[in-house]
Amino acid sequence: MNSQLPVHDAEASPDAARWRDPRLSPTERADALLPLMSLEEKVAQLVGVWVGADASGEGVAPHQADMVDGELRWDDVIRHGLGQLTRPFGTAPVDPVAGARSLAASQAEIAAASRFGIPAQVHEECLTGFAAWRATVYPTPLGWGASFDPELVEQMAGHIGRSMRAAGVHQGLAPVLDVTRDYRWGRTEETIGEDPYLVGTTGAAYVRGLEAAGIVATLKHFAGYSASRGGRNLAPVSMGRRELADVILPPFEMALRLGGARSVMHSYAEIDGLPAAADEGLLTRLLRDEWGFTGTVVADYFAVRFLQTLHGVAADGVEAARLALRAGIDVELPTVDAFGPALVEAVRAGAVDEALIDRALRRVLAQKAELGLLDQGWQPLPDGVDGLRLDDVGAQEVALRLARESVVLLRNDGGLLPLAAGRRVALVGPVADDPMAMLGCYTFPSHVGVRHPEHGLGVELPSLREALGRLLPGLVHAPGCAVTGDDTSGFAAAVAAAEEADVCVLAVGDRSGMFGRGTSGEGCDATDLRLPGVQPDLVRAVLATGTPVVLVLLAGRPYALGPEADAAAAVVQAFFPGQRGGQALAEVLTGAVNPSGRLPVGVPRDAGALPSTYLNPPLGRRSEVSSVDPTPAFPFGHGLSYTTFEWSDAGVRGGLPAADATGGGRLDWAVDGEVEVEVTVRNTGDRAGVEVVQLYLHDPVAQTTRPVVRLVGYARVPLAPGESARVTFAVPADVTSFTGAHGRRVVEPGDVELRLGRSSGEFAAALPLRLVGPERAVGHHRRLVSTARVAPAAVAQSA
């Protein structure tokens, strides 16, 4: 299998040496190869094929049963070459070594079948780890956001990318950069949070890790998918261009500029009646002409055909293909459909311009050149495949660290946590002894493994009961009820267990699944934010016992717990923390780990006060003219620790004293300048801990309404007892920019505040500044982030 593939007849031409020559740029190689190809060979490079797709109706993509052509023959598909192979590891459980060898055999057949001997680009899902059997399962993206730790997320992505590369995969369909706008949306669990700065900085870190491992990162879903009406999956999006520009698009800009992503997957959404798959303004004029993106745009699964079947903007597959190509889509996934033989005939008939085919093909071939797939010495079987392991000790350690950092302590009245040694503890609730409660819908066991129970989970996955039982001998357990359904017959046993205990840990939440097979996940949207099933009744029944309760939520979205939950002495939130999540939760509950997570989404107080996130202008907050109060129970950025922190000596450097007597102590900040915001943080408790210092912008008067506060910087600050650190943010004026009244992004002169906060609702200092100078238009090359430095306080002061 490792022998060099045979030379093909097509390589006898004078230009063959050019497109095979690795000394030329990828674009030069693509330009040399493209004129040599027939129309059939060109179109073949613009499609994937999903040979192993399950057309039984239990598939893993929307409308898959309707869309997969069961008549596709492998020999016919690869006769002219093939652009991509879809999810050879992510369709059914397969031993990693056997899977890599099988993939290599398929690649050898593809290369041998066509004139040019070009293998396929292989893509897989990788949102919470390589979506393959026996691969490490990491926390969901909401957990990444809760960690406020991009560096650790980058390490995680590096492990994911290296495992994929070792198996023969080239492209990963992650990260999801959708900013949460309505928690009822089932895919909230796949998002990093509700703030574009947190989503963008964390997503860019993931991209850096994946790309550094040699895997093409694919940003999705571009753009607006998370803002669907009513939180319904694949529903229309009613959004103005200003909200799109200021909330939805910035994470994609960050991941492209700061991460180096080489692929973008468009959204299923339609915004104001225009589907993203047909939006030339989005996929070409913005993404390529303005932002300078040169990689590939791939279609979300079956989305080209959806222009006909779901959106009704195309009469047939050929028209859908023409619209998609014109908009800027390069590759149809997951299998041959609209970019098939009918498209070839339409091009020959003059109904579709061949220049659109060539434009897409040039990008596809250039990316294959980058990946080494056009090289003469390309080998189908990766080196060291016999030792391939997808769940090694290093990966598990990163998964555990991220799970620990993602656990958020929301309340701890009376210091009930950590659980004291020797106390009688009852563990009740439907997710307490369910390993699957640790997993989101795009993990392999949830996404695919549920249809193959005979293969097992593939990884060690302890439940909370198993992990906590190791630390607390004598733990009593009663489930009480299921996640869904109306059966309350288990309430009596749960209540009895709570009554006989000194402390009750009550674990409630979600079961993630796909398209209605869960309470969270793709296609599993909610009508409101009450806990599913009879879990609210169980919470009330257990709280009524009078036993102190630690309420633990294992969920894919924040739930409104209602006024009854105020009686819980402690509340802990975890967002599907992955295969080591049970251990991480047990360590936090018992005090082996000091919690440091912060909420990437607010926790609503009322199940129906939606849609609402913290990025609200004044009219979006509590007012005297409405009986609905959208104030969250716990705000974005909130999280407690088992130690205490003191903040002091906050100040600003780098500005100039106000030029007139009305400055009121404000410093002037040039509209093209930078200031430094500083604060000292001291651990005043008796144990080591991590404080998360958050920097927010408040813009009280602007030409358009603005969020009352929005995040513009953050830093994790680990401190030993009694230790202090000086935290410094270098803040460019560019981060104050927004889309102004005339549709341009501007830095506007005027008064602002930079607020140092423990959350978006609790501030330690508000530092007044005045942006001075003429209104300044900024574009894609503006400075996107504030940089943070953390130094020991004594060192910072002596410097």
Side-chain angles (χ1 to χ4, degrees):
M1 187 65 67
N2 275 311
S3 60
Q4 186 169 302
L5 292 170
V7 175
H8 292 256
D9 292 341
E11 295 171 13
S13 71
D15 282 336
R18 288 184 54 78
W19 70 266
R20 287 290 196 191
D21 189 349
R23 295 171 298 180
L24 299 180
S25 72
T27 301
E28 289 173 325
R29 296 175 70 180
D31 285 339
L33 176 56
L34 191 151
L36 307 179
M37 302 178 77
S38 69
L39 180 58
E40 287 82 1
E41 289 167 335
K42 291 177 180 180
V43 172
Q45 290 295 322
L46 307 185
V47 296
V49 64
W50 196 351
V51 177
D54 178 7
S56 67
E58 295 294 314
V60 292
H63 297 268
Q64 181 177 305
D66 302 326
M67 304 304 300
V68 173
D69 184 354
E71 300 302 316
L72 287 176
R73 294 183 66 254
W74 175 249
D75 291 345
D76 291 338
V77 168
I78 67 173
R79 181 159 54 99
H80 298 294
L82 182 64
Q84 295 220 7
L85 278 172
T86 295
R87 303 193 63 192
F89 290 88
T91 301
V94 58
D95 175 79
V97 174
R101 289 193 168 278
S102 176
L103 173 58
S106 296
Q107 288 279 48
E109 289 180 7
I110 293 167
S114 63
R115 287 199 303 149
F116 297 97
I118 302 171
Q121 188 165 325
V122 181
H123 74 261
E124 283 287 358
E125 299 285 359
C126 59
L127 189 63
T128 54
F130 182 12
W133 193 50
R134 295 182 177 172
T136 305
V137 183
Y138 299 88
T140 54
L142 274 183
W144 314 349
S147 76
F148 276 72
D149 192 347
E151 290 78 13
L152 184 55
V153 170
E154 184 172 345
Q155 290 183 41
M156 174 196 71
H159 278 278
I160 295 170
R162 288 188 291 274
S163 67
M164 296 170 74
R165 192 70 176 171
V169 177
H170 309 105
Q171 181 170 1
L173 303 187
V176 170
L177 298 180
D178 296 298
V179 177
T180 301
R181 302 301 284 163
D182 188 331
Y183 310 142
R184 293 172 296 182
W185 190 44
R187 302 191 79 167
T188 294
E189 66 173 60
E190 298 178 50
T191 72
I192 296 168
E194 67 182 51
D195 179 88
Y197 189 90
L198 178 65
V199 174
T201 51
T202 306
Y206 180 96
V207 169
R208 286 193 298 272
L210 205 66
E211 289 280 357
I215 296 295
V216 174
T218 307
L219 311 182
K220 59 186 195 180
H221 306 89
F222 192 67
Y225 191 28
S226 57
S228 55
R229 292 180 194 163
R232 293 178 60 248
N233 195 49
L234 238 171
V237 173
S238 301
M239 175 189 291
R241 289 291 162 178
R242 187 169 286 104
E243 182 182 357
L244 180 70
D246 290 348
V247 178
I248 300 299
L249 295 179
F252 292 93
E253 288 186 88
M254 290 186 184
L256 290 172
R257 280 189 49 202
L258 307 179
R262 288 180 285 172
S263 188
V264 170
M265 175 179 279
H266 73 80
S267 163
Y268 284 135
E270 59 170 83
I271 300 177
D272 194 25
L274 183 59
D279 191 344
E280 189 174 3
L282 180 70
L283 300 183
T284 295
R285 289 194 293 275
L286 175 70
L287 180 62
R288 296 193 183 278
D289 298 343
E290 186 175 333
W291 289 2
F293 177 66
T294 59
T296 58
V297 174
V298 299
D300 205 343
Y301 285 11
F302 307 114
V304 176
R305 178 66 71 171
F306 287 173
L307 292 174
Q308 173 198 354
T309 59
L310 298 185
H311 295 296
V313 297
D316 54 29
V318 168
E319 188 174 356
R322 181 183 61 81
L323 289 174
L325 287 163
R326 187 182 67 184
I329 292 174
D330 303 315
V331 180
E332 182 183 29
L333 297 179
T335 195
V336 182
D337 181 33
F339 285 17
L343 176 60
V344 173
E345 294 175 8
V347 173
R348 287 217 164 91
V352 176
D353 189 349
E354 189 170 356
L356 295 176
I357 304 291
D358 290 348
R359 184 179 69 170
L361 178 60
R362 182 173 287 106
R363 297 162 184 161
V364 167
L365 293 177
Q367 191 159 97
K368 286 195 171 187
E370 289 175 354
L371 294 167
L373 299 180
L374 301 189
D375 294 353
Q376 183 66 55
W378 173 83
Q379 305 292 343
L381 192 66
D383 293 334
V385 70
D386 288 333
L388 179 62
R389 185 178 177 186
L390 304 181
D391 184 34
D392 59 31
V393 173
Q396 291 175 20
E397 180 58 30
V398 170
L400 177 59
R401 286 173 55 201
L402 188 53
R404 287 167 172 163
E405 292 187 7
S406 71
V407 176
V408 186
L409 177 62
L410 299 181
R411 180 190 298 145
N412 193 21
D413 293 348
L416 180 61
L417 292 177
L419 297 170
R423 305 194 76 181
R424 295 174 301 168
V425 177
L427 175 64
V428 304
V431 300
D433 196 28
D434 183 3
M436 297 297 286
M438 303 295 163
L439 306 182
C441 76
Y442 267 82
T443 59
F444 186 87
S446 294
H447 198 60
V448 178
V450 291
R451 295 180 288 115
H452 302 274
E454 70 280 4
H455 285 80
L457 296 173
V459 292
E460 184 180 354
L461 186 61
S463 68
L464 176 57
R465 179 189 182 187
E466 183 180 348
L468 192 58
R470 294 170 184 167
L471 302 177
L472 297 176
L475 184 71
V476 176
H477 170 253
C481 65
V483 169
T484 57
D486 57 4
D487 184 1
T488 61
S489 61
F491 277 24
V495 166
E499 288 176 333
E500 295 171 4
D502 298 318
V503 179
C504 178
V505 177
L506 173 55
V508 294
D510 279 318
R511 179 68 181 260
S512 190
M514 303 286 289
F515 306 112
R517 297 192 290 272
T519 59
S520 175
E522 186 173 0
C524 298
D525 310 317
T527 56
D528 60 41
L529 292 179
R530 284 186 288 260
L531 282 164
V534 294
Q535 291 183 92
D537 299 323
L538 177 65
V539 171
R540 285 189 287 270
V542 171
L543 288 171
T545 65
T547 300
V549 171
V550 179
L551 188 61
V552 176
L553 294 113
L554 277 162
R557 60 166 66 86
Y559 281 103
L561 304 175
E564 298 88 352
D566 290 341
V571 182
V572 175
Q573 176 79 63
F575 298 105
F576 296 143
Q579 73 182 62
R580 302 296 290 273
Q583 178 183 344
L585 268 169
E587 291 172 338
V588 167
L589 292 172
T590 58
V593 167
N594 193 350
S596 63
R598 300 293 186 267
L599 283 175
V601 287
V603 174
R605 186 173 300 279
D606 190 304
L610 291 167
S612 181
T613 73
Y614 95 100
L615 291 176
N616 267 321
L619 284 183
R621 298 204 167 193
R622 182 179 182 179
S623 73
E624 296 179 355
V625 298
S626 174
S627 59
V628 175
D629 181 3
T631 305
F634 302 101
F636 172 87
H638 172 75
L640 304 177
S641 171
Y642 294 149
T643 190
T644 55
F645 300 95
E646 178 184 82
W647 295 25
S648 62
D649 300 324
V652 181
R653 296 190 306 174
L656 298 173
D660 57 66
T662 64
R666 297 177 183 270
L667 290 178
D668 281 350
W669 181 8
V671 293
D672 59 353
E674 177 182 278
V675 294
E676 289 192 340
V677 175
E678 297 182 314
V679 66
T680 296
V681 180
R682 184 166 71 93
N683 184 345
T684 56
D686 59 2
R687 64 176 294 169
V690 176
E691 181 69 302
V692 179
V693 178
Q694 300 162 46
L695 182 66
Y696 291 86
L697 173 72
H698 172 59
D699 189 352
V701 179
Q703 58 189 266
T704 66
T705 61
R706 305 296 303 133
V708 175
V709 291
R710 62 181 177 92
L711 188 70
V712 294
Y714 59 89
R716 286 178 59 89
V717 186
L719 294 169
E723 186 179 13
S724 298
R726 190 70 170 167
V727 182
T728 303
F729 294 98
V731 188
D734 286 4
V735 302
T736 72
S737 67
F738 62 95
T739 303
H742 300 291
R744 300 180 306 165
R745 178 173 288 276
V746 296
V747 176
E748 183 182 35
D751 292 344
V752 296
E753 284 182 354
L754 289 174
R755 297 180 177 180
L756 289 158
R758 296 180 173 89
S759 75
S760 62
E762 181 184 359
F763 299 103
L767 306 170
L769 292 152
R770 174 171 293 162
L771 286 159
V772 296
E775 180 177 292
R776 175 170 161 259
V778 295
H780 178 56
H781 294 289
R782 69 191 184 280
R783 296 175 66 183
L784 296 172
V785 298
S786 304
T787 56
R789 303 192 308 274
V790 179
V795 173
Q797 291 167 1
S798 64

